[in-house]
């Protein structure tokens, strides 16, 4: 069993930056996909940014060039650096982990981009 806890959500002005962090309760071994999904009001949940155990990253077209996902194997964390934020980025952001044992989700953290 793995628990995921998100940190760093909040309110930021358009054009600003915010950094999210997700901490896993234990180390992750073998192959995995980890990252961040988001769900805005009235929209479906989408994968914003993910990273694999081999370091391969994938980004939604809407965030490419602005968001960066990274992992720290020693700290068992995955981070999301968000720059040049837009009001359209407002959503609940969920940490996600896919391993052989199954899927795991964090509780979600609210990110609001507004003047």
């Amino acid at each position: 069993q793995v628990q995921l806890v998100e940190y760093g959500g909040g309110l930021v002005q358009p054009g600003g930056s915010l950094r999210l962090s997700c901490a896993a309760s234990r180390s992750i071994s073998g192959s995995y996909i980890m990252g961040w999904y988001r769900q805005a009001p009235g929209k479906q949940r989408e994968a914003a940014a993910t990273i694999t155990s081999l370091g391969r990253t994938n980004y939604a077209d809407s965030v490419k060039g602005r968001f960066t996902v990274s992992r720290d194997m020693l700290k068992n964390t995955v981070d999301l650096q968000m720059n040049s934020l837009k009001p359209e980025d407002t959503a609940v952001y969920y940490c996600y982990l896919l391993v052989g044992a199954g899927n795991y989700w964090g509780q979600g953290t609210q990110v609001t981009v507004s003047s």
Side-chain angles (χ1 to χ4, degrees):
Q1 298 293 321
V2 179
Q3 286 75 49
L4 304 174
V5 180
E6 300 104 335
Y7 302 90
L11 175 65
V12 64
Q13 293 185 344
S17 297
L18 200 63
R19 188 176 183 88
L20 305 181
S21 182
C22 173
S25 61
R26 59 184 295 175
S27 62
I28 309 300
S29 62
S31 299
Y32 66 82
I33 301 174
M34 196 171 187
W36 296 89
Y37 281 64
R38 66 182 186 179
Q39 186 167 23
K43 299 183 65 178
Q44 295 182 336
R45 187 176 298 187
E46 65 172 355
T50 61
I51 187 168
T52 73
S53 50
L54 297 178
R56 178 174 294 183
T57 58
N58 287 282
Y59 298 94
D61 289 341
S62 58
V63 309
K64 286 182 178 178
R66 300 187 299 116
F67 289 12
T68 303
V69 64
S70 61
R71 70 187 193 281
D72 188 327
M73 295 186 296
L74 296 179
K75 296 181 179 180
N76 300 320
T77 59
V78 60
D79 293 348
L80 183 67
Q81 178 65 47
M82 303 182 290
N83 298 325
S84 302
L85 283 163
K86 306 174 180 179
E88 307 93 271
D89 296 318
T90 296
V92 177
Y93 285 71
Y94 298 89
C95 185
Y96 170 77
L97 170 65
L98 172 63
V99 294
N103 297 331
Y104 300 89
W105 293 91
Q107 294 294 319
T109 185
Q110 177 70 47
V111 172
T112 302
V113 184
S114 178
S115 298

